[in-house]
Amino acid sequence: MPASLSSTSTKISSAATFFAIFSMVVILLTVSPCFSDPDMLQDFCVADLNAATSVNGFPCKPDANVSSSDFFFSGLMEEADTDNIFGICTSTGNVRTFPGLNTLGLSMSRIDFAPNGTIPLHTHPRSSETGFVIKGEVLVGFISTRSVFYSKVLKAGEMFMIPKGLVHFQKNVGTGKATTMTAFNSHLPGTVILSTVFVTTPTVPNGILAQNFQVDETVIASIKAKFGAL
């Protein structure tokens, strides 16, 4: 093949590759919004918590029933009672307690810790989490899907983040009480505590749990007893 024809063929091939890649980028940019959350179609949608049905959120209250109180919430102001086995209490500002958050993709929580109090290992299947320490010293940690453990002891004013769905915890490691405030990009992030595998209804068979944790069934029975489930 003459050199001129070979050069022309190479240029055509390069151009075809460029336009193929360009076309793929255009398609991705135009189609990808179809797979993300839709934009709001109204200013707000205050949740009707008494509605009989809900689909990915609560139905909206009629505008005539909406008032200023639907958009303000004071449930995170007071320190909560931490007298329990974990030494913590979570005050939630999500759609169930603050209906004005419905469909907005926002919520917050306040966590109060007794000395040595711990939020047990858990995940939020519908949300990432960010927060900061209001007072005290708190160890915050999470585990990646590659089983890498990331953690740091934070003091008042310091901030943290937890990627969506990853197992994480907080623990008061200071000498006194501690408080953190967290925010979520979901109006109802959901919480799955790992220890709930021992208190499900109906119960997970002891043999299944024993095999998963590689312990004797008597150990599983003992753990269930501590959580009040036999």
Side-chain angles (χ1 to χ4, degrees):
M1 179 183 294
S4 60
L5 290 178
S6 176
S7 176
T8 301
S9 176
T10 299
K11 290 180 180 178
I12 292 174
S13 177
S14 298
T17 300
F18 169 78
F19 283 113
I21 294 174
F22 178 76
S23 298
M24 289 178 66
V25 171
V26 170
I27 290 171
L28 286 173
L29 289 176
T30 55
V31 173
S32 60
C34 299
F35 301 101
S36 60
D37 291 337
D39 289 335
M40 292 284 291
L41 300 179
Q42 63 279 316
D43 290 338
F44 50 79
C45 177
V46 177
D48 181 355
L49 300 181
N50 297 317
T53 60
S54 63
V55 179
N56 205 28
F58 293 91
C60 309
K61 277 185 181 181
D63 285 353
N65 295 340
V66 174
S67 67
S68 293
S69 62
D70 289 313
F71 304 107
F72 302 94
F73 180 66
S74 58
L76 307 183
M77 293 177 60
E78 304 296 332
E79 181 177 316
D81 183 8
T82 58
D83 185 16
N84 54 65
I85 60 172
F86 292 111
I88 61 102
C89 188
T90 300
S91 303
T92 57
N94 59 40
V95 67
R96 294 191 184 278
T97 58
F98 188 3
L101 294 173
N102 192 43
T103 75
L104 296 182
L106 300 168
S107 60
M108 295 187 71
S109 291
R110 169 182 173 149
I111 303 94
D112 292 298
F113 299 78
N116 204 43
T118 302
I119 300 179
L121 292 166
H122 66 285
T123 70
H124 300 296
R126 298 188 288 270
S127 177
S128 296
E129 175 180 352
T130 185
F132 66 97
V133 179
I134 294 177
K135 70 176 180 180
E137 295 184 34
V138 179
L139 172 63
V140 179
F142 70 88
I143 303 166
S144 76
T145 56
R146 295 185 178 183
S147 299
V148 179
F149 176 48
Y150 300 92
S151 67
K152 184 178 180 180
V153 174
L154 302 178
K155 297 181 179 180
E158 292 189 288
M159 186 176 175
F160 62 89
M161 57 79 61
I162 308 293
K164 179 179 178 179
L166 296 188
V167 175
H168 60 286
F169 70 93
Q170 296 179 39
K171 180 178 176 62
N172 181 3
V173 294
T175 57
K177 295 180 179 180
T179 301
T180 61
M181 192 75 74
T182 56
F184 305 89
N185 61 341
S186 169
H187 71 188
L188 194 64
T191 300
V192 179
I193 301 175
L194 272 61
S195 57
T196 56
V197 297
F198 299 106
V199 292
T200 60
T201 302
T203 61
V204 178
N206 287 1
I208 297 295
L209 294 174
Q211 186 174 20
N212 274 266
F213 290 102
Q214 292 296 290
V215 296
D216 190 85
E217 288 190 34
T218 57
V219 175
I220 300 299
S222 175
I223 294 174
K224 284 186 174 182
K226 289 182 178 179
F227 283 100
L230 298 175

